[in-house]
């Protein structure tokens, strides 16, 4: 009963949405292999029964391979939820969600785990094991591939690229906030995932370390052709993006390249919105 | 090599690790002490029979154990003497007397063996020494066990005290040990036994000892005895009578139940301590475990990590627990003057190690649920 109601509700909403989103879609590409993520008609709900609340409304979104996309929007708009759905961390029931060419709607939990192994996750908190050294924390990711022989070498290589060559055997307690976040990035990137999902990676960092971390991510993505989807409130780092999408109240509101975004978002009005979040 | 996550997580928090090891060691010590008492009970039951100079034993079917016997006619013993392969038959009389400590004048129960002085009832050569043999033949004289508790007073030869309103002189000493049933023991001649236990008729005996000729087949002679003797006596070989006594002490009395309960309670204590430690560890690492899940690790991996931590705690706790238990066994042995034959056995050591690992794994199973249901979406 409630399902049919919400379906009809979402249908009426999708009509108004498709006009909005369709007009702002940047690129179109008929080759499905060119996309890292393809989302069609995605709805998502929290809770069950009477408490069921829709948080994402009819999302259509394509992420081209090699793009750096920043997703922004007020708190509670569903950014993180969308990120966890793309990351195969939640089960999707409505719509279509293709990650790296694989449809993940309807996959079992065990199959979702396999999808996750091709995705690099960077969290707001570094979530490193205090008991492991920087290298060991990164090695935990390499071990997922059942590669034991050169795992330390791989970890050290990755940490060196992030400027931590002299810190590989330090435990997190002996590293600064920026260094810890860089270790976490090394852990996310060491298996060379095609898709990297980052949730507020700079939130716990000062301006300088935040900038460093983002620049490193940008460099690595450009070199290796990786797709990055980053959720952030931090408008100091918007310049790394190829594309900026805004999510408001569970709907895609704008989808723009950097130039347009800066032009259409007057700094003053942007600031006011930041306060409301 | 795989990163030893379980080990590194445990050693990272030194204080917590020490508390956990102390907790497991504590449980291990409790288990060892309970099993030690239980084992010494069984050993004490068999100890007296290894001191008796006979291969086959006759007892009344109503006899529970050596200190709770029902007397039966001595004729059964004479009948047994006629069977082929029997070298000698010897009666043994047993009972309790009230021994008065000559210094403090307090009374205490003492266990008494009555023997025919001409019979080599005990293996110990000490009892066969000319002085002791002479003493046994004197009226109102008895030999006293050196392992009797100190509460029985001085044991020097010539000490005179009162036993059940009759004067008794200590004629000598021997070493035997009373086990669980007795704090102290005396050996006296059957004639003296008759005096102290008046009106005890010597034609009723507590235990019949059958010594076989060298080379005789014990099972065969025992079978022949069973066939010949009426059913008012049981014919038991040495292993059989030892087993019967063990079964009595462990199964029929509440002793076995008490120590068995002790083992269970100790295990529960161990499970709770290890559970607390593992649960705290998991709670502290919830974000990291969820991150591992997001990276693509399966719940199975996290499950085994927690089980590994539990097994490591089990082994680390077992080592000091084992060492301290050895010390406590020695202490118990000394405190009871060797009367309680408590000691470490290889089988027990292995069993307790397995029990400890099982106990810790159980805690792991109880606490691991939290990490299994950890939702990787929650760490964002």
């Amino acid at each position: 009963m409630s399902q049919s109601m919400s379906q009809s509700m979402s249908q009426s909403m999708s009509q108004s949405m498709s006009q909005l989103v369709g007009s702002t879609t940047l690129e179109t590409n008929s080759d499905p292999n060119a996309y890292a993520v393809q989302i069609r008609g995605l709805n998502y709900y929290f809770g069950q029964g009477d408490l069921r609340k829709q948080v994402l409304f009819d999302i259509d979104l394509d992420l081209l391979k090699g793009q750096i996309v920043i997703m922004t929007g007020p708190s509670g708009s569903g950014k993180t939820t969308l990120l966890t759905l793309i990351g195969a961390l939640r089960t999707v029931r409505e719509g279509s969600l293709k990650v790296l060419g694989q449809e993940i709607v309807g996959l079992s939990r065990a199959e979702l785990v396999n999808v996750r192994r091709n995705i690099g996750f960077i969290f707001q908190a570094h979530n490193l094991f205090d008991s492991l050294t920087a290298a060991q924390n990164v090695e935990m990711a390499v071990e997922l591939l059942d590669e034991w022989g050169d795992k330390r070498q791989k970890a050290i290589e990755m940490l060196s690229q992030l400027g931590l060559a002299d810190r590989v055997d330090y435990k997190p307690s002996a590293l600064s906030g920026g260094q810890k976040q860089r270790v976490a990035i090394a852990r996310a990137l060491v298996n060379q995932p095609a898709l990297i999902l980052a949730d507020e990676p700079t939130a716990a960092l000062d301006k300088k370390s935040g900038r460093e971390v983002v620049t490193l991510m940008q460099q690595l993505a450009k070199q290796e052709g990786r797709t990055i989807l980053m959720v952030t409130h931090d408008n100091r780092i918007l310049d790394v993006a190829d594309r900026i999408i805004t999510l408001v109240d569970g709907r895609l509101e704008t989808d723009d390249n950097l130039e347009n975004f800066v032009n259409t978002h007057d700094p003053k009005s942007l600031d006011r919105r930041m306060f409301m979040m | 090599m795989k990163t030893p996550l379980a080990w590194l997580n445990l050693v990272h928090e030194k204080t917590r690790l020490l508390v956990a090891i102390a907790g497991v060691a504590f449980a291990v010590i409790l288990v060892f002490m309970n099993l030690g008492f239980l084992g010494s009970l069984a050993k004490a039951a068999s100890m007296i029979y290894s001191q008796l100079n006979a291969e086959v034993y006759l007892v009344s079917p109503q006899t529970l154990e050596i200190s709770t016997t029902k007397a039966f006619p001595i004729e059964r013993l004479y009948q047994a003497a006629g069977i082929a392969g029997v070298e000698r038959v010897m009666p043994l009389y047993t009972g309790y007397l009230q021994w008065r400590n000559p210094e403090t004048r307090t009374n205490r129960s003492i266990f008494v063996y009555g023997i025919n002085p001409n019979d080599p009832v005990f293996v110990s050569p000490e009892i066969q020494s000319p002085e002791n043999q002479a003493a046994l033949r004197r009226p109102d004289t008895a030999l006293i066990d050196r392992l009797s508790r100190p509460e029985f007073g001085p044991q020097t030869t010539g000490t005179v005290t009162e036993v059940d309103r009759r004067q008794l002189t200590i004629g000598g000493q021997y070493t035997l040990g009373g086990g669980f049933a007795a704090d102290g023991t005396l050996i006296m001649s059957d004639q003296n036994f008759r005096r102290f236990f008046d009106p005890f008729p010597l034609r009723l005996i507590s235990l019949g000892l059958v010594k076989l000729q060298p080379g005789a087949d014990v099972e065969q002679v025992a079978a022949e005895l069973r066939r010949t003797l009426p059913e008012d006596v049981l014919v038991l070989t040495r292993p059989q009578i030892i087993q019967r006594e063990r079964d009595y002490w462990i199964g029929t009395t509440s002793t076995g139940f008490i120590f068995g309960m002790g083992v269970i309670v100790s295990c529960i204590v161990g499970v709770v301590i290890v559970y607390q430690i593992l649960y705290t560890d998991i709670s502290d690492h919830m974000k990291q475990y969820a991150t591992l899940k997001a990276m693509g690790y399966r719940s199975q991996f996290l499950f085994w990590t927690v089980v590994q931590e539990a097994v490591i705690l089990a082994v680390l706790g077992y080592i000091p627990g084992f060492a301290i238990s050895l010390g406590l066994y020695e202490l118990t042995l000394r405190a009871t003057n060797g009367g309680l034959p408590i000691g470490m056995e290889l089988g027990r050591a292995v069993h307790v190690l397995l029990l400890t690992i099982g106990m810790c794994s159980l805690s792991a199973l109880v606490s691991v649920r939290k990490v299994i249901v950890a939702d990787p979406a929650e760490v964002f």
Side-chain angles (χ1 to χ4, degrees):
Chain A
M1 176 69 180
S2 65
Q3 190 150 7
S4 65
M5 249 177 67
S6 61
Q7 249 169 4
S8 64
M9 214 169 79
S10 66
Q11 260 167 13
S12 66
M13 294 193 173
S14 72
Q15 280 168 359
S16 59
M17 278 297 297
S18 58
Q19 289 166 349
L20 224 168
V21 177
S23 62
T24 51
T25 303
L26 279 175
E27 287 131 302
T28 48
N29 195 327
S30 54
D31 177 13
N33 287 330
Y35 296 109
V37 178
Q38 268 189 311
I39 307 176
R40 289 288 175 274
L42 177 72
N43 290 304
Y44 193 76
Y45 310 85
F46 277 137
Q48 282 176 339
D50 290 342
L51 295 174
R52 195 161 118 126
K53 183 178 179 295
Q54 189 164 7
V55 289
L56 291 176
F57 297 87
D58 196 38
I59 305 282
D60 290 331
L61 179 67
D62 293 331
L63 300 184
L64 271 174
K65 284 189 177 164
Q67 263 189 345
I68 299 181
V69 181
I70 283 183
M71 180 155 58
T72 181
S75 294
S77 59
K79 302 185 301 292
T80 300
T81 308
L82 182 55
L83 201 68
T84 53
L85 287 172
I86 296 172
L89 295 168
R90 296 182 195 275
T91 325
V92 198
R93 290 187 199 84
E94 275 186 53
S96 158
L97 171 52
K98 280 186 188 166
V99 177
L100 302 170
Q102 191 181 6
E103 178 62 63
I104 68 166
V105 175
L107 288 190
S108 70
R109 279 177 177 276
E111 289 165 326
L112 287 177
V113 172
N114 284 331
V115 174
R116 292 209 287 270
R117 293 191 176 181
N118 300 314
I119 302 173
F121 291 95
I122 300 166
F123 307 92
Q124 184 172 344
H126 51 81
N127 293 342
L128 300 173
F129 277 101
D130 285 335
S131 51
L132 305 183
T133 64
Q136 282 170 329
N137 266 298
V138 178
E139 284 168 35
M140 286 299 293
V142 186
E143 285 176 16
L144 271 172
L145 306 177
D146 286 326
E147 285 176 17
W148 318 106
D150 56 347
K151 60 167 187 166
R152 186 172 161 83
Q153 193 194 332
K154 276 190 177 176
I156 290 174
E157 228 167 72
M158 197 66 232
L159 286 166
S160 307
Q161 283 190 52
L162 290 158
L164 291 170
D166 54 343
R167 290 284 187 275
V168 288
D169 290 325
Y170 282 54
K171 288 200 173 160
S173 53
L175 298 174
S176 72
Q179 287 170 332
K180 279 187 252 196
Q181 193 58 296
R182 277 188 277 164
V183 175
I185 291 173
R187 179 172 62 179
L189 298 185
V190 69
N191 286 343
Q192 310 190 322
L195 176 63
I196 295 154
L197 301 176
D199 189 34
E200 306 270 11
T202 57
L205 304 178
D206 59 62
K207 187 180 173 186
K208 185 167 163 289
S209 342
R211 164 55 57 186
E212 270 176 21
V213 160
V214 172
T215 313
L216 281 165
M217 284 173 66
Q218 187 187 21
Q219 280 172 7
L220 290 167
K222 287 297 167 202
Q223 281 166 20
E224 320 267 348
R226 316 227 174 286
T227 312
I228 298 182
L229 176 60
M230 196 187 314
V231 166
T232 187
H233 279 133
D234 190 350
N235 52 5
R236 299 172 306 202
I237 60 168
L238 294 182
D239 60 295
V240 300
D242 298 318
R243 182 178 169 196
I244 298 173
I245 55 180
T246 317
L247 206 61
V248 177
D249 292 339
R251 294 180 178 83
L252 275 181
E253 199 180 64
T254 63
D255 188 347
D256 249 333
N257 63 22
L258 184 63
E259 296 296 312
N260 288 339
F261 186 83
V262 172
N263 290 339
T264 52
H265 289 72
D266 175 59
K268 277 181 184 161
S269 69
L270 186 72
D271 277 350
R272 211 177 305 132
R273 273 195 337 162
M274 302 302 268
F275 282 120
M276 283 165 64
M277 285 167 192
Chain B
M1 204 192 80
K2 228 171 172 163
T3 307
L5 184 63
W7 169 254
L8 291 171
N9 272 352
L10 279 179
V11 295
H12 185 65
E13 292 267 355
K14 301 271 185 312
T15 320
R16 192 190 292 165
L17 179 65
L18 281 180
V19 171
I21 289 176
V24 176
F26 177 68
V28 168
I29 291 168
L30 286 178
V31 170
F32 264 127
M33 288 320 284
N34 278 299
L35 289 179
F37 287 132
L38 201 60
S40 71
L41 188 73
K43 214 190 254 179
S46 68
M47 210 163 59
I48 179 64
Y49 293 101
S50 58
Q51 292 294 318
L52 291 176
N53 197 10
E55 288 84 16
V56 177
Y57 298 82
L58 306 183
V59 293
S60 158
Q62 292 177 50
T63 290
L64 297 175
E65 42 86 37
I66 191 157
S67 67
T68 321
T69 50
K70 172 81 179 164
F72 62 92
I74 199 167
E75 283 79 9
R76 300 287 167 265
L77 205 54
Y78 297 150
Q79 279 174 291
I83 304 291
V86 174
E87 181 181 307
R88 166 165 213 157
V89 293
M90 300 170 282
L92 183 66
Y93 306 91
T94 60
Y96 284 101
L97 286 178
Q98 284 299 313
W99 174 275
R100 172 177 283 184
N101 179 329
E103 282 175 349
T104 64
R105 295 180 178 270
T106 51
N107 281 328
R108 208 176 164 92
S109 259
I110 197 162
F111 189 64
V112 184
Y113 297 102
I115 61 169
N116 182 336
N118 299 316
D119 286 340
V121 170
F122 292 96
V123 177
S124 164
E126 204 173 16
I127 298 164
Q128 311 299 332
S129 73
E131 300 84 49
N132 276 344
Q133 282 295 313
L136 275 178
R137 286 176 171 79
R138 281 199 293 274
D140 296 335
T141 302
L143 309 180
I144 189 165
D145 192 345
R146 287 194 192 87
L147 296 180
S148 303
R149 287 191 63 85
E151 284 87 339
F152 287 103
Q155 301 176 346
T156 40
T157 309
T159 305
V160 179
T161 186
E162 200 172 283
V163 175
D164 272 18
R165 301 189 176 203
R166 207 182 157 88
Q167 282 219 328
L168 183 140
T169 311
I170 295 179
Q173 300 83 28
Y174 62 93
T175 306
L176 195 66
F180 268 79
D183 292 336
T185 65
L186 288 179
I187 295 177
M188 57 175 65
S189 68
D190 46 5
Q191 294 306 315
N192 281 325
F193 193 89
R194 168 76 183 74
R195 291 186 184 107
F196 280 97
F197 284 85
D198 189 59
F200 191 92
L202 286 182
R203 58 164 208 84
L204 287 178
I205 66 173
S206 309
L207 195 66
L209 312 185
V210 180
K211 185 170 164 54
L212 304 188
Q213 284 165 357
D217 181 7
V218 179
E219 289 301 329
Q220 204 182 327
V221 176
E224 181 62 17
L225 282 169
R226 273 183 209 112
R227 203 182 56 76
T228 316
L229 296 178
E231 287 187 353
D232 62 351
V233 285
L234 280 178
V235 179
L236 301 168
T237 61
R238 186 181 280 162
Q240 280 171 337
I241 195 162
I242 288 173
Q243 192 56 47
R244 190 178 142 94
E245 296 237 333
R246 282 187 183 175
D247 291 348
Y248 170 76
W249 281 112
I250 294 171
T252 314
T253 68
S254 49
T255 346
F257 176 77
I258 289 167
F259 291 125
M261 201 60 169
V263 171
I264 293 171
V265 170
S266 320
C267 284
I268 293 174
V269 169
V271 166
V272 171
I273 293 172
V274 177
Y275 168 76
Q276 282 292 335
I277 299 289
L278 289 178
Y279 189 85
T280 320
D281 183 70
I282 290 170
S283 301
D284 286 359
H285 289 121
M286 214 47 202
K287 285 203 140 210
Q288 283 86 342
Y289 285 141
T291 305
L292 287 184
K293 276 191 160 183
M295 283 160 59
Y297 276 101
R298 297 183 188 282
S299 298
Q300 209 181 356
F301 171 84
L302 301 179
F303 174 82
W304 285 114
T305 304
V306 175
V307 172
Q308 273 174 40
E309 287 191 12
V311 173
I312 292 170
L313 283 182
V315 174
L316 287 185
Y318 177 82
I319 296 166
F322 178 81
I324 294 170
S325 298
L326 283 183
L328 286 176
Y329 279 2
E330 189 60 36
L331 202 71
T332 312
L333 200 61
R334 282 192 195 154
T336 56
N337 284 328
L340 204 61
I342 194 165
M344 188 57 75
E345 287 161 21
L346 181 66
R348 188 187 304 152
V350 173
H351 273 127
V352 174
L353 176 61
L354 295 179
L355 186 71
T356 313
I357 292 175
M359 172 181 95
C360 291
S361 304
L362 180 66
S363 313
L365 292 183
V366 179
S367 54
V368 82
R369 218 185 67 82
K370 194 176 159 75
V371 69
I372 295 292
V373 300
D375 184 358
E378 294 298 316
V379 289
F380 272 101

